[in-house]
Amino acid sequence: MSICPKGKISKARRNKRRANWKMTAPNLVKCSKCGELMMPHRVCKNCGSYGQKKIIAVD
């Protein structure tokens, strides 16, 4: 006795399910201190600030 599949899923139905797997571009905002593009809610890699506060020292 073998396993009985529930039914054939067509290529169109399978591909509709996979249509939402696409990647999205990261959302970038300008740093409030230096104006460099950065990801929101993260420390700026250019100046080392978060909001208006200096968090890390960057050379």
Side-chain angles (χ1 to χ4, degrees):
M1 192 163 190
S2 64
I3 298 171
C4 181
K6 297 288 184 198
K8 180 176 167 64
I9 296 175
S10 68
K11 293 175 191 169
R13 189 176 285 262
R14 178 199 64 201
N15 293 342
K16 279 182 202 172
R17 186 177 65 245
R18 293 179 181 170
N20 296 318
W21 286 16
K22 59 187 172 287
M23 292 181 67
T24 58
N27 188 24
L28 298 175
V29 296
K30 284 187 177 180
C31 175
S32 58
K33 230 176 185 182
C34 66
E36 187 78 16
L37 286 177
M38 57 177 258
M39 293 183 75
H41 305 287
R42 285 168 178 77
V43 175
C44 178
K45 293 179 181 176
N46 191 40
C47 64
S49 64
Y50 180 77
Q52 293 293 328
K53 296 179 184 176
K54 186 81 169 173
I55 303 296
I56 57 173
V58 179
D59 295 334

